[in-house]
Amino acid sequence: MFKKILIANRGEIACRVIKTARRMGIQTVAVYSDADARAPFVAMADEAVHIGPAPAAQSYLIADKIIAACKQTGAEAVHPGYGFLSERTSFAEALAAEGIEFIGPPVGAIAAMGDKIESKKLAKAAGVNVVPGFVGEIEDTEHAVRISDEIGYPVMMKASAGGGGKGMRLAYNEKDVREGFEAVKREGLNSFGDDRVFIEKFILNPRHIEIQILGDKHGNILYLNERECSIQRRHQKVVEEAPSPFVTPKMRKAMGEQCVALSRAVGYYSAGTVELIVSGADPTGESFYFLEMNTRLQVEHPVTEAITGVDLVEQMIRVAAGEKLSLTQDDVKIDGWAIENRVYAEDPYRGFLPSTGRLIRYNPPVAGWTDDGAENGRRGVDGVRVDDGVYEGGEVSMFYDPMIAKLVTWGKTRDEAADKQIAALDAFEIEGLGHNIDFVSAIMQHPRFRSGELTTGFIAEEYPEGFTGAATGDDLKRTLAALAGFLATARADRARQVDQQLGDDLDPPAQWAVKIDGTTYAVELTEDDVTVDGEVVDIALEYTPGQRLVACEVAGEPLTVKVEPFRAGFKLTTRGAIHQVQVLPASVAHLVGHMIEKVPPDLSKFLICPMPGLLVALHVKEGDTVEAGQPLAVVEAMKMENILRAEKSGTVKTVNAKAGESLAVDAIILEME
């Protein structure tokens, strides 16, 4: 077994590998950029080596710096995590040339599966179902249009070397192909150094289901069941679960055996994942097709660990050291259900715009996961596990992936795992930047999610106008009204105890007018009860003014609410929605109607940068006439291109930025007249 390994990655996955290596008695080496000098994974490792500036292209993506760090520290092997160099054949070859073990699959398998065009040919030859499409060289946009017409719309255009949801565009017609083909080529070149594109038929009611593969260097290959990853946004996974609510035992066996056959055809060992696109429109479950193979550890691997008890990182290290797998296919079981939500630095209330900045407050529902080696320990604390690599006061940088943490829950049933997600998300505190906690909580509560009727179009179909918060029932609103009245009384009670006030002590108000989402409730507190509109609400809690998280019991059921006070009330966040709650003493509430409402200024004449990023392209100049919806600029943030369009027709009056500039959030790019 290795004595020392280097982790060629950062963030939560670096922490994840370090924890397991530590349990195995293996020393660890971290490499870090300027942006990560104070990151938790750097402090956690036994040794750390600085490898360059913040941009990944100048640090984490330079193989020579990783190899130099190995030589400097005496590391015998490298775990690449996911992303960065994890699927670069040149990196694996360079390590081999220096006698350093790569904790991953053989170079030949990475090469064969890393090229989406060649991998489809191999999959077909291995007897794996493949999606109809064009797998040759595409000359230009006109050629792409002809191919798409022949395949039949809709089609998906993908960068051949792509991954992680980058370099992909869905085209429903010729116009979409003409608009998107060059963008796909450009994203492929910028992210992966390869501008080749392939086009394939887009499957209707598609479900994204993947099979976890594990093999050793002695020819043993297993499949560790499946994961359902259908809930995606911009082809980026948001929710993953294991097993899939769609997959039957017969289907699981057929999928698994085909994926093992493909793995065997390329001499695969280590952990890997074969991704399949499955037609949800076919109830037989036979319409599943090879999508791609990821020759690395997946972000969502903890859900597989939770239901199988297999530590995938440990197995990868053991396989790399030449050990045989200690389990057989018959040993692979399914115990319960696991769900993972990716907590992203993006603001769902503002169209999911990337959100960078400092974590002013970071308090997960349970402490970060520690690897104690116990099979049930992979499920965290009482079925709640947080994998993260950030800290309170740290910064989420524009240079890397926007994921803050992974929240994993395990239950005996799917509903139990989802219920644990909702409760844990309510208790997950993040302040200082936008995040998607409310959004994933809303998904967990959504009737369609609960029914298991999932497709990759779930988010677009269920939130076509964007996200404004989870639906809130009348009972919950009444509970929040009672809570707000209690909080207001406690705050008033503290205020009356301030020293040196004139007059006698006054009792705090006991009657309140509480306005939530346009509805006003009459709340009254007595010594024994809280009533809302004359009806008693069964709520129990303790609260000290200034407390940010309030744990209640409502009719015997737990409810956690985030509390942020403002002058005339509270911002209450729970169950996937933010409520601006106005709380006024009943004696003055009727005066609100006399207050002048502040009207926000009209900003529609400005093109405003919605997030910090790089202005990649500016399509207009001063004096140009533009139409509503016309693309005006392209801003790149967190490795994704975002097209900014005109809100209304008009003429460009002034241009305040130029291509190549780094822009701050809310920077004015141009003004219309």
Side-chain angles (χ1 to χ4, degrees):
M1 181 50 65
F2 308 118
K3 293 181 179 177
K4 184 185 290 187
I5 66 172
L6 181 144
I7 296 91
N9 217 298
R10 61 176 300 279
E12 67 87 15
I13 188 58
C15 293
R16 165 74 183 90
V17 177
I18 290 169
K19 288 171 185 175
T20 292
R22 178 186 293 164
R23 174 175 57 77
M24 296 174 69
I26 301 171
Q27 288 189 307
T28 56
V29 179
V31 291
Y32 65 94
S33 69
D34 290 345
D36 286 331
R38 296 181 180 178
F41 77 93
V42 177
M44 191 180 293
D46 295 297
E47 298 175 67
V49 179
H50 176 251
I51 56 169
Q58 300 174 45
S59 50
Y60 296 107
L61 287 171
I62 300 182
D64 289 347
K65 291 187 175 182
I66 306 296
I67 291 170
C70 288
K71 291 180 177 178
Q72 177 184 331
T73 59
E76 305 157 82
V78 171
H79 195 301
Y82 50 74
F84 294 142
L85 298 171
S86 61
E87 294 177 284
R88 292 275 182 94
T89 52
S90 57
F91 179 56
E93 288 170 339
L95 289 175
E98 297 291 342
I100 302 167
E101 194 67 40
F102 180 68
I103 303 176
V107 171
I110 301 173
M113 294 294 103
D115 186 318
K116 285 187 172 68
I117 294 172
E118 292 305 315
S119 66
K120 282 188 174 298
K121 294 177 181 176
L122 282 165
K124 194 170 183 179
V128 181
N129 305 340
V130 296
V131 179
F134 184 85
V135 293
E137 293 287 337
I138 300 176
E139 299 161 9
D140 52 26
T141 301
E142 292 303 323
H143 190 198
V145 169
R146 291 198 303 274
I147 291 166
S148 301
D149 288 342
E150 289 171 8
I151 294 172
Y153 294 100
V155 298
M156 181 68 82
M157 299 178 288
K158 298 184 183 180
S160 179
K166 297 171 184 65
M168 302 173 72
R169 289 289 191 283
L170 180 58
Y172 287 95
N173 49 47
E174 179 181 325
K175 179 174 176 289
D176 290 346
V177 176
R178 293 187 182 281
E179 280 191 2
F181 180 72
E182 289 300 326
V184 173
K185 288 189 69 173
R186 190 164 56 244
E187 285 186 11
L189 186 62
N190 291 342
S191 296
F192 311 105
D194 186 341
D195 68 353
R196 290 177 302 156
V197 175
F198 74 96
I199 300 176
E200 66 183 8
K201 178 74 174 175
F202 185 70
I203 304 300
L204 293 174
N205 297 339
R207 301 181 77 115
H208 187 123
I209 296 173
E210 58 191 33
I211 300 291
Q212 176 68 57
I213 294 295
L214 182 63
D216 62 24
K217 295 179 179 179
H218 305 277
N220 302 303
I221 304 178
L222 314 174
Y223 63 91
L224 274 63
N225 306 314
E226 80 284 349
R227 295 184 288 259
E228 171 97 46
C229 307
S230 295
I231 298 183
Q232 305 176 4
R233 197 187 66 76
R234 293 182 68 173
H235 314 297
Q236 196 95 22
K237 298 166 189 173
V238 177
V239 181
E240 300 104 346
E241 59 182 306
S244 164
F246 184 72
V247 174
T248 63
K250 179 182 176 184
M251 188 178 175
R252 181 176 297 117
K253 187 172 186 291
M255 284 179 165
E257 288 176 352
Q258 283 197 18
C259 295
V260 166
L262 173 61
S263 303
R264 201 172 296 286
V266 294
Y268 201 88
Y269 55 76
S270 192
T273 296
V274 180
E275 303 200 355
L276 305 167
I277 195 80
V278 182
S279 174
D282 182 0
T284 67
E286 294 177 1
S287 300
F288 61 86
Y289 307 95
F290 173 79
L291 195 60
E292 63 180 337
M293 185 172 189
N294 291 314
T295 55
R296 54 171 168 78
L297 191 67
Q298 293 280 88
V299 175
E300 57 271 22
H301 73 273
V303 293
T304 295
E305 294 183 331
I307 66 163
T308 63
V310 178
D311 185 324
L312 288 168
V313 172
E314 178 182 350
Q315 293 300 319
M316 290 181 76
I317 295 171
R318 292 192 180 283
V319 166
E323 293 186 14
K324 286 186 177 182
L325 293 179
S326 59
L327 66 162
T328 65
Q329 190 64 59
D330 290 339
D331 296 325
V332 179
K333 308 296 182 185
I334 298 178
D335 180 12
W337 213 287
I339 299 175
E340 174 181 295
N341 276 307
R342 300 190 188 187
V343 179
Y344 281 129
E346 61 183 16
D347 192 343
Y349 294 101
R350 298 182 64 207
F352 297 93
L353 292 174
S355 181
T356 59
R358 194 164 300 283
L359 285 164
I360 295 171
R361 190 174 183 83
Y362 178 74
N363 186 25
V366 297
W369 177 76
T370 56
D371 187 358
D372 63 1
E375 186 173 315
N376 288 345
R378 286 168 207 130
R379 298 170 181 167
V381 179
D382 296 326
V384 180
R385 169 177 165 178
V386 174
D387 283 24
D388 59 16
V390 299
Y391 64 99
E392 190 167 280
E395 189 171 350
V396 176
S397 168
M398 65 179 284
F399 296 104
Y400 311 119
D401 188 88
M403 191 169 67
I404 298 171
K406 302 185 307 197
L407 178 64
V408 183
T409 55
W410 176 90
K412 293 180 181 178
T413 65
R414 187 170 184 265
D415 280 341
E416 184 184 339
D419 288 342
K420 285 184 177 180
Q421 279 284 343
I422 296 165
L425 289 163
D426 280 346
F428 207 136
E429 294 182 271
I430 296 176
E431 294 178 18
L433 41 73
H435 56 77
N436 68 336
I437 285 175
D438 289 348
F439 179 63
V440 290
S441 177
I443 292 174
M444 295 295 98
Q445 300 169 62
H446 201 290
R448 182 173 161 190
F449 174 79
R450 290 299 183 125
S451 72
E453 297 296 321
L454 311 178
T455 70
T456 54
F458 178 93
I459 290 175
E461 292 159 11
E462 298 301 326
Y463 303 97
E465 304 301 321
F467 179 71
T468 56
T472 305
D474 291 339
D475 288 346
L476 181 54
K477 288 182 182 179
R478 289 171 57 80
T479 297
L480 293 177
L483 173 63
F486 187 97
L487 302 182
T489 299
R491 191 162 66 165
D493 186 55
R494 183 180 66 170
R496 78 185 180 89
Q497 297 178 47
V498 175
D499 196 17
Q500 297 183 1
Q501 297 190 69
L502 296 176
D504 297 327
D505 285 348
L506 298 174
D507 290 332
Q511 295 178 325
W512 302 91
V514 179
K515 189 175 182 179
I516 302 178
D517 301 339
T519 301
T520 300
Y521 300 89
V523 179
E524 183 173 1
L525 280 76
T526 67
E527 288 186 5
D528 301 317
D529 296 311
V530 181
T531 63
V532 176
D533 293 340
E535 294 184 14
V536 175
V537 175
D538 184 2
I539 184 170
L541 71 145
E542 291 184 2
Y543 171 70
T544 302
Q547 196 174 327
R548 308 302 293 266
L549 205 65
V550 177
C552 315
E553 270 200 10
V554 182
E557 293 295 321
L559 176 70
T560 303
V561 182
K562 300 182 187 82
V563 176
E564 185 177 333
F566 59 88
R567 188 174 181 84
F570 304 91
K571 183 170 82 171
L572 302 180
T573 305
T574 190
R575 294 296 190 263
I578 298 172
H579 303 275
Q580 298 286 348
V581 183
Q582 185 186 69
V583 188
L584 295 172
S587 59
V588 300
H590 64 283
L591 299 175
V592 171
H594 299 286
M595 302 298 289
I596 297 172
E597 186 177 348
K598 187 176 181 180
V599 179
D602 179 16
L603 299 176
S604 61
K605 66 178 181 177
F606 298 106
L607 181 66
I608 297 173
C609 187
M611 82 289 279
L614 180 70
L615 184 60
V616 176
L618 188 62
H619 301 309
V620 292
K621 60 184 185 299
E622 289 181 10
D624 283 359
T625 301
V626 300
E627 299 296 328
Q630 179 180 332
L632 301 181
V634 178
V635 174
E636 181 185 290
M638 288 181 168
K639 303 185 284 186
M640 296 291 283
E641 289 189 359
N642 303 271
I643 299 173
L644 307 185
R645 302 178 184 272
E647 285 191 31
K648 61 183 182 181
S649 301
T651 303
V652 178
K653 180 181 178 182
T654 57
V655 176
N656 302 317
K658 59 184 178 181
E661 285 187 9
S662 291
L663 302 177
V665 64
D666 294 334
I668 296 174
I669 298 173
L670 56 84
E671 182 180 354
M672 310 270 289
E673 62 179 1

